[in-house]
Amino acid sequence: MFPAGFEHVEDQLWLWLVAMIRPGAAFFAAPIFGMASVPVQLRLVVSLAVGMAGLSAVPFQLPPDGVTSVAGVVLVLGEILAGLALGFAVQIGFSSAMLAGETIGNTMGLGFAQMMNPMSGASTPALAQFLSIIATFLFLSIGGHLSLATIIVDSYRALPVGSAMPAAASLRGLVMFGGDLFAAGLAIALPVGFALILVQIVMGMLSRSAPAMNLFAVGLPATLLAGLVLMAIASPSMGDGIIASINAGLGEARKIAAGR
């Protein structure tokens, strides 16, 4: 039997658990927060802080039969789906930088250079990892992490706990936005990628005019040098493209949080 003042401890613990579900799912799918190097304990604490701020803005009561009932399971599934949709929308905008890096790296001949990606734990091209690091700095510099927390808190108004299933239009918009990932990645890589294609055409013309020339000995260093110089020149425009893609991901997350 609990002492006086502790009779509602179990209800409070269940309330904290429900509060952590949606932010935890969003942070699991979102960039930076979902990195394997981020401690789980830190993620839980941040999820609880964001979730309690969201729950305090709307009235909420636990299901009469508890979270383990049918109504409670539906509630948890809705919270997980809403959180994953919010985080995945931001992740789509963030991943355009990695796609651009893979495109440029393959064109430069650096597709064989692999690095361990701390976000996914898989090997990715070195140039894609480089642009992913730049995207991380830009995401933090524009306050993307704070915007994501604000979006999660605002989502409790349009998608209250217990009715958090995103609308079919929201899920369809998220799927269609996934197609924009390829367009955004190619747009970021276009300044460097198009110039590298011209370099490849010139090297092909040289190989036809001078068949005795070792194309592999000359073409690879020339392509690498041209790629590095072009990336240095096009860095401002590529940074603007990455920021625009991240903002598009945050905008899509806002639409889902508003129930649209």
Side-chain angles (χ1 to χ4, degrees):
M1 187 172 181
F2 288 110
F6 287 89
E7 60 272 12
H8 299 296
V9 169
E10 184 178 356
D11 293 339
Q12 186 65 40
L13 292 177
W14 282 116
L15 182 64
W16 288 354
L17 177 63
V18 172
M20 287 190 295
I21 295 175
R22 185 183 304 187
F27 291 150
F28 175 78
I32 301 179
F33 297 101
M35 295 174 60
S37 58
V38 177
V40 178
Q41 296 85 348
L42 176 61
R43 205 178 305 171
L44 290 176
V45 170
V46 176
S47 300
L48 177 60
V50 175
M52 290 304 295
L55 281 182
S56 62
V58 294
F60 168 71
Q61 289 184 349
L62 291 170
D65 297 331
V67 181
T68 56
S69 62
V70 176
V73 172
V74 173
L75 181 148
V76 171
L77 291 178
E79 289 293 293
I80 293 175
L81 183 59
L84 289 177
L86 294 174
F88 192 63
V90 182
Q91 182 67 259
I92 290 175
F94 187 87
S95 298
S96 61
M98 187 175 299
L99 179 61
E102 291 183 0
T103 303
I104 298 174
N106 292 332
T107 309
M108 288 176 58
L110 287 178
F112 59 86
Q114 301 285 326
M115 290 183 63
M116 182 63 67
N117 188 348
M119 295 190 65
S120 62
S123 296
T124 57
L127 199 55
Q129 181 63 21
F130 171 70
L131 289 184
S132 178
I133 294 173
I134 293 179
T136 301
F137 290 146
L138 293 176
F139 182 80
L140 296 174
S141 66
I142 64 175
H145 56 302
L146 301 178
S147 299
L148 178 59
T150 303
I151 291 170
I152 295 173
V153 173
D154 293 340
S155 69
Y156 283 91
R157 296 185 176 91
L159 302 173
V161 180
S163 304
M165 286 291 183
S170 299
L171 297 178
R172 182 179 182 277
L174 180 61
V175 173
M176 298 302 294
F177 180 67
D180 295 339
L181 164 66
F182 299 97
L186 293 178
I188 295 171
L190 183 61
V192 179
F194 182 74
L196 287 176
I197 292 176
L198 294 180
V199 173
Q200 298 284 357
I201 293 174
V202 171
M203 297 306 301
M205 295 174 61
L206 289 176
S207 66
R208 295 292 294 177
S209 60
M213 183 182 67
N214 190 343
L215 183 61
F216 293 98
V218 179
L220 182 60
T223 306
L224 288 175
L225 180 60
L228 293 176
V229 173
L230 290 170
M231 284 196 63
I233 296 174
S235 292
S237 62
M238 294 175 66
D240 294 339
I242 293 173
I243 292 177
S245 181
I246 293 174
N247 287 328
L250 292 172
E252 185 65 26
R254 290 189 184 93
K255 291 181 182 179
I256 298 174
R260 300 198 302 267

